[in-house]
Amino acid sequence: MKKIGIIGYGWLGERMATAMSDRYRIYATTTTQDKADELNAKGFHAVVAHFMDYQLAEPYPEWEEIQNLDVLIITIPVSGRSCCVSSLYNRIQNLSLFIGDFKGQMFLMSSTGVYPDVPEEVTEEDVPVEKVSGERLVRNTYPQVNILRLGGLMGDDRLLKNYTVSNPDFAVNHIHYADSCRVISEMIEKGTKGKLYNVTAPMHPSKNQVIQAQKNLPDTEAGEIQGKKVMSSKLISELDFVFQYPDPRYFHL
């Protein structure tokens, strides 16, 4: 049974662990001891770890389990939108100290937020890794890392109808968490390394269409859908991936 480490056991990390726990042994980091105790009681192997945005006075201790792991999944934010470059650099440096010279298969959860708000279809080639500070810093140290630019994560309690939205006629770039977990599982089985993929549902209805469908109301869309559409064509082509939830209008079903 392969051993998988999940750095950042949050909303997505929890669902990844649940989806994979029948096939893999799960190791994880969380930010509180209570949460770590809870995960350990479930049979996971959890430790407390914080990846600060400042330089530490003493080196961050390396994860004791790191050399025993086959796969590492990083879910802590490193896209660079939420902090300055120096803070981002410190966060990634502290992360690197924690995972050392890990050589196994690695996944970094990035975001489609790296793309500019342009009214057109965008692909990975429009914004290469070198232009995204966090992605570049991680890949410079770990060239084997697979970078997955996730769309807006949805499913379970996360449905667009529960949020107040702006620009209702703009396209959504969403992904059901179950499909994001399936992408990673398939890449693990294939032994994929060093790839960059957009991970978004292939259909891009407007926000209003999604909300109407989730409220079981008729589709009243009349005008042209606006805004950017982040395309997952490369993922579909190279992995021969079939989405379980291709249409965000039906993520609630």
Side-chain angles (χ1 to χ4, degrees), residues 115-123 125-127 170-171 173 204 224-231:
Y115 295 106
D117 291 323
V118 292
E120 57 190 48
E121 296 181 352
V122 295
T123 70
E125 293 181 355
D126 293 304
V127 180
F170 275 48
N173 296 287
H204 301 270
E224 181 181 354
I225 298 175
Q226 302 183 41
K228 71 181 176 184
K229 296 179 181 179
V230 181
M231 309 307 291

Tab-separated table of all heavy atoms in Angstrom, residues 115-123 125-127 170-171 173 204 224-231:
chain	number	residue	atom	x	y	z
A	115	TYR	N	-4.608	33.336	-13.901
A	115	TYR	CA	-4.900	33.871	-15.228
A	115	TYR	C	-5.552	35.247	-15.134
A	115	TYR	O	-6.367	35.497	-14.237
A	115	TYR	CB	-5.827	32.926	-15.999
A	115	TYR	CG	-5.201	31.587	-16.302
A	115	TYR	CD1	-5.581	30.445	-15.594
A	115	TYR	CD2	-4.218	31.460	-17.275
A	115	TYR	CE1	-5.003	29.217	-15.865
A	115	TYR	CE2	-3.635	30.244	-17.551
A	115	TYR	CZ	-4.024	29.121	-16.836
A	115	TYR	OH	-3.436	27.907	-17.100
A	116	PRO	N	-5.213	36.145	-16.049
A	116	PRO	CA	-5.838	37.472	-16.043
A	116	PRO	C	-7.313	37.380	-16.427
A	116	PRO	O	-7.736	36.408	-17.071
A	116	PRO	CB	-5.034	38.239	-17.099
A	116	PRO	CG	-4.521	37.185	-18.033
A	116	PRO	CD	-4.246	35.980	-17.164
A	117	ASP	N	-8.075	38.360	-16.018
A	117	ASP	CA	-9.504	38.401	-16.357
A	117	ASP	C	-9.674	38.944	-17.765
A	117	ASP	O	-9.862	40.141	-17.974
A	117	ASP	CB	-10.261	39.248	-15.338
A	117	ASP	CG	-10.321	38.589	-13.976
A	117	ASP	OD1	-10.462	37.350	-13.932
A	117	ASP	OD2	-10.209	39.296	-12.951
A	118	VAL	N	-9.608	38.039	-18.718
A	118	VAL	CA	-9.753	38.407	-20.129
A	118	VAL	C	-10.954	37.668	-20.702
A	118	VAL	O	-11.211	36.520	-20.345
A	118	VAL	CB	-8.479	38.063	-20.929
A	118	VAL	CG1	-7.324	38.967	-20.498
A	118	VAL	CG2	-8.098	36.592	-20.737
A	119	PRO	N	-11.716	38.274	-21.600
A	119	PRO	CA	-12.924	37.647	-22.140
A	119	PRO	C	-12.621	36.650	-23.256
A	119	PRO	O	-13.027	36.831	-24.402
A	119	PRO	CB	-13.729	38.847	-22.649
A	119	PRO	CG	-12.688	39.826	-23.073
A	119	PRO	CD	-11.545	39.665	-22.091
A	120	GLU	N	-11.884	35.596	-22.910
A	120	GLU	CA	-11.513	34.605	-23.921
A	120	GLU	C	-11.169	33.284	-23.257
A	120	GLU	O	-11.092	33.188	-22.022
A	120	GLU	CB	-10.309	35.112	-24.728
A	120	GLU	CG	-9.102	35.430	-23.873
A	120	GLU	CD	-8.009	36.165	-24.647
A	120	GLU	OE1	-8.331	37.147	-25.352
A	120	GLU	OE2	-6.836	35.742	-24.542
A	121	GLU	N	-10.944	32.255	-24.066
A	121	GLU	CA	-10.500	30.964	-23.553
A	121	GLU	C	-9.000	31.028	-23.256
A	121	GLU	O	-8.236	31.572	-24.049
A	121	GLU	CB	-10.790	29.858	-24.575
A	121	GLU	CG	-12.276	29.647	-24.836
A	121	GLU	CD	-12.528	28.530	-25.834
A	121	GLU	OE1	-11.546	28.030	-26.434
A	121	GLU	OE2	-13.702	28.163	-26.017
A	122	VAL	N	-8.596	30.486	-22.110
A	122	VAL	CA	-7.175	30.502	-21.739
A	122	VAL	C	-6.703	29.082	-21.463
A	122	VAL	O	-7.461	28.225	-20.993
A	122	VAL	CB	-6.909	31.400	-20.509
A	122	VAL	CG1	-7.211	32.847	-20.827
A	122	VAL	CG2	-7.726	30.958	-19.302
A	123	THR	N	-5.436	28.833	-21.778
A	123	THR	CA	-4.817	27.529	-21.556
A	123	THR	C	-3.531	27.703	-20.768
A	123	THR	O	-3.084	28.827	-20.504
A	123	THR	CB	-4.505	26.831	-22.886
A	123	THR	OG1	-3.429	27.540	-23.550
A	123	THR	CG2	-5.724	26.800	-23.799
A	125	GLU	N	-0.574	27.448	-21.663
A	125	GLU	CA	0.467	28.161	-22.412
A	125	GLU	C	0.366	29.676	-22.247
A	125	GLU	O	1.355	30.390	-22.442
A	125	GLU	CB	0.390	27.800	-23.897
A	125	GLU	CG	0.747	26.341	-24.192
A	125	GLU	CD	0.682	26.037	-25.674
A	125	GLU	OE1	0.275	26.937	-26.452
A	125	GLU	OE2	1.042	24.905	-26.055
A	126	ASP	N	-0.816	30.170	-21.899
A	126	ASP	CA	-0.987	31.615	-21.758
A	126	ASP	C	-0.253	32.173	-20.546
A	126	ASP	O	0.169	33.336	-20.553
A	126	ASP	CB	-2.479	31.959	-21.671
A	126	ASP	CG	-3.202	31.681	-22.973
A	126	ASP	OD1	-2.778	32.222	-24.012
A	126	ASP	OD2	-4.181	30.916	-22.963
A	127	VAL	N	-0.120	31.368	-19.496
A	127	VAL	CA	0.625	31.786	-18.305
A	127	VAL	C	1.502	30.617	-17.872
A	127	VAL	O	1.075	29.751	-17.099
A	127	VAL	CB	-0.315	32.205	-17.151
A	127	VAL	CG1	0.506	32.635	-15.918
A	127	VAL	CG2	-1.243	33.341	-17.578
A	170	PHE	N	-21.252	36.092	-16.221
A	170	PHE	CA	-19.902	35.615	-16.505
A	170	PHE	C	-19.841	34.091	-16.367
A	170	PHE	O	-20.544	33.488	-15.551
A	170	PHE	CB	-18.885	36.259	-15.559
A	170	PHE	CG	-18.391	37.601	-16.031
A	170	PHE	CD1	-19.281	38.583	-16.463
A	170	PHE	CD2	-17.040	37.889	-16.044
A	170	PHE	CE1	-18.837	39.822	-16.898
A	170	PHE	CE2	-16.575	39.131	-16.480
A	170	PHE	CZ	-17.475	40.095	-16.912
A	171	ALA	N	-18.963	33.480	-17.153
A	171	ALA	CA	-18.774	32.030	-17.116
A	171	ALA	C	-18.146	31.595	-15.799
A	171	ALA	O	-17.358	32.328	-15.194
A	171	ALA	CB	-17.875	31.600	-18.275
A	173	ASN	N	-15.677	28.869	-13.807
A	173	ASN	CA	-14.550	27.956	-13.996
A	173	ASN	C	-14.448	27.129	-12.719
A	173	ASN	O	-13.627	27.405	-11.846
A	173	ASN	CB	-13.260	28.736	-14.256
A	173	ASN	CG	-13.329	29.523	-15.552
A	173	ASN	OD1	-13.268	28.951	-16.632
A	173	ASN	ND2	-13.468	30.843	-15.451
A	204	HIS	N	-18.763	25.520	-19.275
A	204	HIS	CA	-18.634	26.810	-18.604
A	204	HIS	C	-19.929	27.623	-18.726
A	204	HIS	O	-19.971	28.651	-19.404
A	204	HIS	CB	-17.468	27.592	-19.204
A	204	HIS	CG	-16.148	26.888	-19.105
A	204	HIS	ND1	-15.298	27.033	-18.034
A	204	HIS	CD2	-15.548	25.999	-19.946
A	204	HIS	CE1	-14.234	26.276	-18.220
A	204	HIS	NE2	-14.362	25.641	-19.370
A	224	GLU	N	-25.251	36.574	-24.252
A	224	GLU	CA	-23.988	35.841	-24.436
A	224	GLU	C	-23.269	35.715	-23.100
A	224	GLU	O	-23.215	36.651	-22.298
A	224	GLU	CB	-23.116	36.595	-25.431
A	224	GLU	CG	-21.792	35.920	-25.722
A	224	GLU	CD	-20.947	36.709	-26.703
A	224	GLU	OE1	-21.457	37.718	-27.240
A	224	GLU	OE2	-19.780	36.326	-26.926
A	225	ILE	N	-22.685	34.536	-22.848
A	225	ILE	CA	-21.905	34.318	-21.630
A	225	ILE	C	-20.577	35.048	-21.763
A	225	ILE	O	-19.881	34.928	-22.767
A	225	ILE	CB	-21.686	32.817	-21.387
A	225	ILE	CG1	-23.036	32.118	-21.182
A	225	ILE	CG2	-20.789	32.593	-20.175
A	225	ILE	CD1	-22.934	30.621	-21.046
A	226	GLN	N	-20.231	35.835	-20.750
A	226	GLN	CA	-19.049	36.681	-20.803
A	226	GLN	C	-17.923	36.127	-19.928
A	226	GLN	O	-18.081	35.135	-19.225
A	226	GLN	CB	-19.423	38.101	-20.360
A	226	GLN	CG	-20.517	38.749	-21.200
A	226	GLN	CD	-20.801	40.167	-20.766
A	226	GLN	OE1	-19.893	40.940	-20.453
A	226	GLN	NE2	-22.078	40.531	-20.738
A	227	GLY	N	-16.774	36.825	-19.980
A	227	GLY	CA	-15.654	36.497	-19.113
A	227	GLY	C	-14.761	35.395	-19.653
A	227	GLY	O	-14.975	34.851	-20.735
A	228	LYS	N	-13.741	35.060	-18.869
A	228	LYS	CA	-12.766	34.069	-19.306
A	228	LYS	C	-13.276	32.651	-19.072
A	228	LYS	O	-14.106	32.395	-18.192
A	228	LYS	CB	-11.439	34.259	-18.566
A	228	LYS	CG	-11.471	33.880	-17.090
A	228	LYS	CD	-10.133	34.110	-16.422
A	228	LYS	CE	-10.218	33.825	-14.926
A	228	LYS	NZ	-8.966	34.133	-14.216
A	229	LYS	N	-12.740	31.735	-19.871
A	229	LYS	CA	-13.009	30.319	-19.714
A	229	LYS	C	-11.660	29.600	-19.642
A	229	LYS	O	-10.876	29.651	-20.592
A	229	LYS	CB	-13.840	29.786	-20.881
A	229	LYS	CG	-15.238	30.390	-20.970
A	229	LYS	CD	-16.006	29.828	-22.158
A	229	LYS	CE	-17.395	30.450	-22.260
A	229	LYS	NZ	-18.153	29.918	-23.434
A	230	VAL	N	-11.393	28.982	-18.518
A	230	VAL	CA	-10.128	28.271	-18.324
A	230	VAL	C	-10.310	26.844	-18.817
A	230	VAL	O	-11.090	26.070	-18.265
A	230	VAL	CB	-9.696	28.292	-16.849
A	230	VAL	CG1	-8.364	27.563	-16.681
A	230	VAL	CG2	-9.593	29.722	-16.338
A	231	MET	N	-9.580	26.495	-19.848
A	231	MET	CA	-9.800	25.235	-20.553
A	231	MET	C	-8.964	24.088	-19.960
A	231	MET	O	-7.782	24.271	-19.627
A	231	MET	CB	-9.464	25.403	-22.033
A	231	MET	CG	-10.149	26.613	-22.692
A	231	MET	SD	-11.945	26.645	-22.450
A	231	MET	CE	-12.416	25.234	-23.467
